[in-house]
Amino acid sequence: MRRWNGWGDVNTVYPLPDSAIEYLAQTIGVGSKISDAQLEEIQAQLPASRLSPMPLINQEAIERVFHARGQSLPDWVAMRSGKINAFPDGVAYPNDEADIRKLLAFASKNEILVIPYGGGTSVVGHINPLPSVAPTLTIDLSRLNRLLDLDETSRLATFEAGVNGPRLEAQLAEHGYTLGHFPQSFELSTLGGWIAARSSGQQSYYYGRIEDLFAGGHIETPCGALDLPALPASAAGPDLRQAILGSEGRLGILTQATVRIQPRPPMEAFYGVFFHDWEAGVEAMRRIAQERTPISMARLSNAQETETTLALSGKEALVQWANRGLRLVGYDAKRCLLIFGVTGTPAACAHARRQTLQIAHAQGGLFTGQVIGKIWRKSRFLTPYLRNTLWELGYAVDTLETALPWSNILLAAEEIQAALKKALNSFNERCLVMAHLSHIYSDGASIYVTFIFRRSEDPEETLERWKMMKSAASQAIIQHRGTISHQHGVGVDHAAYLEAEKSALGIALIRQMAHTVDPKGILNPGKLFS
Ligand SMILES: Cc1cc2nc3c(=O)[nH]c(=O)nc-3n(C[C@H](O)[C@H](O)[C@H](O)COP(=O)(O)OP(=O)(O)OC[C@H]3O[C@@H](n4cnc5c(N)ncnc54)[C@H](O)[C@@H]3O)c2cc1C
């Protein structure tokens, strides 16, 4: 069963050893255990639904609470404190496109706001109902989860868009294929959500980002249906698939998507390399990308993330042994860990590994074999569970990300992290800030920053700390002309920064597209643009 106020399945836990708790206490202070609001309390405070009865819509309190918030830090504060300012008035689970058409017609006629809901894993407020005069209906697409068509000759698979990661991969695996899209939220996020929020998987370097994988689809809107044929390429005007990618529920409900698939790879392996410092590691990453090294993933942690990852790994004996050994061979406090993966035939994997290690050695890299890579592989979808553990110990965790040209990576990464620390200092608190590069391109990379800080007894104060940090980091991103999001999307939290990237005219164009398919403005208002 899924947690209603945290990440993932209630039966999965990520315990931390005492040494890790001690590490956090020393780095940012002792966390205090703060009790959470109970589900029953929240259900009791729920305002009455403003929807008139409709057979497809469920108005039960439990459904409305479960769909009230996603996974952003403000969402966590709201769910854990019970201070939730808006709930959907009802939740529908359509079984097919006909149900979706009925729901959209009902919503349009009665001026009901509609939130398309995939896995609810948004970290920027995409699926939150906002306080409004009009009632809000959340359309949960989880029953639309079937493989509809498999064209093995063209390597195209058509799915219903509510299918989640594990179910999508299991259906493809039965036929020997994979999509290869593995965001860290894989366990719960859905194909429709990946497309609507322009997601990027951990192995996108090899399989492609979702925009490379999305070949076509079917969208239901209040003004009718839009079919996007799956074509390998087209010069027939602007590509409407690009408009649906990142549309965040504002251009309609994606009911089906055709995606480009590949045969399951015969081999996959992940390796670890240590660099003396961040600069050497970044240079290696740039060369890996620009020399088109055929690896499947690469993640370079900065010194703070390397240290914290080892400290929180729970593998005390192994970490102590590794630390001693690394110091002996001259990889000291500034050392940075690169984990890279290879995927394909044994010959292709050997070639990719050789080429990567040549580049790494030229930058002073120390190859450590598969041990660290195996640990990463085992915990790649488990790490989000650490958020539950840390929260319960009194710490809040959030992440933010951008993408920039290589020429600006080092300075931007430093200043984004400095902005976070400075913002929290004004509360007389310390922040553990760390970064990695995990998506690389020939012209640049994404910078992914994680920050951990102590929660206050007062949820408003915790939120205030987060707002100051998020705003400072977002300003730093904009100043460096980075994108406000490489993979999480815009939602509510990034909407104010979108114009810096798209321009006022660009936003007007997007708004006009939305107006064409949704003249009453009922589709996910307040997200992406106001
Ligand atoms: C722990 C954690 C790790 C994460 N890791 C990654 C990562 O590695 N890479 C990454 O890219 N993201 C990551 N994310 C962010 C999130 O998982 C992605 O944004 C994902 O694409 C959201 O998918 P979802 O199905 O949960 O969509 P939701 O959160 O339900 O919705 C997101 C947006 O898409 C719209 N939408 C959903 N389905 C449809 C549909 N069928 N038609 C129209 N609109 C729709 C919604 O209205 C909303 O605006 C992570 C999030 C968490 C909490």
Side-chain angles (χ1 to χ4, degrees):
M1 196 177 72
R2 186 168 168 177
R3 279 188 177 82
W4 67 276
N5 64 353
W7 177 257
D9 190 279
V10 286
N11 296 315
T12 307
V13 288
Y14 193 126
L16 278 179
D18 289 347
S19 60
I21 298 170
E22 181 57 26
Y23 172 80
L24 287 168
Q26 277 176 11
T27 317
I28 49 175
V30 178
S32 36
K33 295 187 179 153
I34 303 159
S35 53
D36 294 325
Q38 298 301 302
L39 183 56
E40 298 71 32
E41 278 171 54
I42 298 178
Q43 283 180 254
Q45 77 180 25
L46 208 68
S49 169
R50 296 166 293 177
L51 288 172
S52 44
M54 196 266 190
L56 289 170
I57 301 176
N58 185 332
Q59 297 186 11
E60 282 172 37
I62 189 88
E63 291 291 347
R64 294 174 58 201
V65 174
F66 261 78
H67 290 84
R69 292 294 190 135
Q71 289 290 324
S72 72
L73 201 275
D75 294 342
W76 273 63
V77 173
M79 296 302 271
R80 294 285 183 143
S81 67
K83 292 184 190 303
I84 304 168
N85 63 353
F87 296 87
D89 292 271
V91 178
Y93 289 93
N95 289 303
D96 49 31
E97 274 166 13
D99 282 351
I100 290 179
R101 281 193 290 275
K102 280 184 211 153
L103 287 162
L104 285 178
F106 178 75
S108 198
K109 180 165 168 239
N110 297 292
E111 309 228 335
I112 296 163
L113 310 181
V114 169
I115 301 180
Y117 185 104
T121 67
S122 161
V123 282
V124 288
H126 281 124
I127 50 85
N128 301 356
L130 305 177
S132 66
V133 179
T136 302
L137 166 66
T138 292
I139 301 187
D140 182 321
L141 297 154
S142 55
R143 288 191 191 156
L144 272 70
N145 58 22
R146 285 157 294 198
L147 173 63
L148 300 175
D149 187 53
L150 182 65
D151 174 351
E152 296 194 60
T153 309
S154 316
R155 293 193 181 161
L156 290 171
T158 302
F159 283 94
E160 290 179 314
V163 65
N164 66 24
R167 204 178 149 91
L168 177 145
E169 280 295 336
Q171 290 180 83
L172 286 179
E174 280 177 25
H175 303 275
Y177 293 96
T178 179
L179 177 63
H181 190 73
F182 303 113
Q184 205 183 38
S185 57
F186 175 75
E187 186 182 336
L188 298 173
S189 54
T190 65
L191 178 57
W194 299 337
I195 293 164
R198 274 190 181 266
S199 160
S200 194
Q202 291 167 341
Q203 286 163 280
S204 292
Y205 184 79
Y206 181 80
Y207 290 105
R209 285 168 60 91
I210 201 66
E211 56 260 40
D212 305 311
L213 302 173
F214 176 49
H218 180 88
I219 296 106
E220 290 290 339
T221 84
C223 290
L226 184 64
D227 264 311
L228 302 175
L231 298 169
S234 164
D239 188 345
L240 293 177
R241 287 174 295 197
Q242 289 295 330
I244 295 304
L245 284 155
S247 57
E248 304 195 352
R250 300 229 44 179
L251 295 184
I253 299 184
L254 184 68
T255 58
Q256 295 179 22
T258 301
V259 285
R260 302 182 172 110
I261 55 170
Q262 295 195 27
R264 289 172 72 75
M267 181 184 160
E268 190 151 70
F270 300 90
Y271 303 97
V273 173
F274 280 94
F275 291 95
H276 286 290
D277 56 33
W278 174 242
E279 288 76 8
V282 171
E283 183 57 15
M285 289 286 266
R286 184 173 72 84
R287 283 194 53 197
I288 287 170
Q290 292 181 342
E291 291 174 26
R292 299 184 189 277
T293 313
I295 53 168
S296 60
M297 63 78 69
R299 173 183 169 138
L300 174 75
S301 297
N302 72 359
Q304 181 67 73
E305 189 174 278
T306 301
E307 182 186 297
T308 307
T309 306
L310 295 176
L312 301 190
S313 70
K315 312 242 176 288
E316 279 174 272
L318 178 72
V319 169
Q320 272 178 17
W321 175 80
N323 277 340
R324 259 200 311 274
L326 284 166
R327 268 196 296 269
L328 270 177
V329 288
Y331 291 79
D332 57 21
K334 283 163 72 184
R335 64 182 168 239
C336 291
L337 173 64
L338 166 69
I339 296 172
F340 73 93
V342 294
T343 300
T345 61
C349 289
H351 167 68
R353 193 184 89 142
R354 214 169 27 248
Q355 198 176 329
T356 308
L357 291 182
Q358 263 170 15
I359 294 172
H361 287 148
Q363 299 305 322
L366 177 74
F367 182 52
T368 60
Q370 286 199 52
V371 179
I372 295 174
K374 280 185 179 161
I375 297 173
W376 177 83
R377 172 190 234 161
K378 218 168 137 191
S379 63
R380 63 191 287 193
F381 305 126
L382 204 60
T383 319
Y385 285 90
L386 188 53
R387 287 178 96 192
N388 300 327
T389 313
L390 289 172
W391 188 270
E392 276 136 33
L393 289 168
Y395 301 103
V397 194
D398 199 15
T399 60
L400 49 87
E401 26 80 66
T402 181
L404 302 133
W406 285 112
S407 52
N408 207 5
I409 288 287
L410 289 175
L411 185 62
E414 194 183 312
E415 293 193 353
I416 294 164
Q417 293 178 85
L420 285 164
K421 284 186 190 156
K422 190 169 165 215
L424 195 61
N425 281 348
S426 62
F427 293 88
N428 230 356
E429 286 287 327
R430 280 174 289 159
C431 187
L432 201 171
V433 186
M434 50 199 174
H436 65 249
L437 305 188
S438 53
H439 295 277
I440 50 175
Y441 308 91
S442 64
D443 53 342
S446 82
I447 302 171
Y448 190 95
V449 179
T450 302
F451 53 106
I452 309 178
F453 59 102
R454 286 201 301 183
R455 294 164 56 204
S456 159
E457 297 272 347
D458 176 5
E460 296 298 335
E461 163 85 10
T462 304
L463 202 54
E464 205 42 46
R465 289 176 190 174
W466 175 83
K467 277 186 190 159
M468 292 284 277
M469 286 189 281
K470 177 78 177 174
S471 157
S474 301
Q475 297 295 346
I477 287 172
I478 298 300
Q479 271 158 24
H480 283 279
R481 302 181 68 82
T483 173
I484 196 60
S485 178
H486 168 265
Q487 64 199 55
H488 289 163
V490 178
V492 174
D493 296 342
H494 293 155
Y497 304 97
L498 194 62
E499 194 176 312
E501 183 170 328
K502 304 281 184 220
S503 82
L505 188 57
I507 302 269
L509 271 175
I510 299 170
R511 191 176 278 125
Q512 194 55 48
M513 275 196 293
H515 183 72
T516 304
V517 294
D518 176 27
K520 292 184 180 166
I522 61 169
L523 289 175
N524 214 6
K527 320 298 164 53
L528 188 61
F529 58 86
S530 52

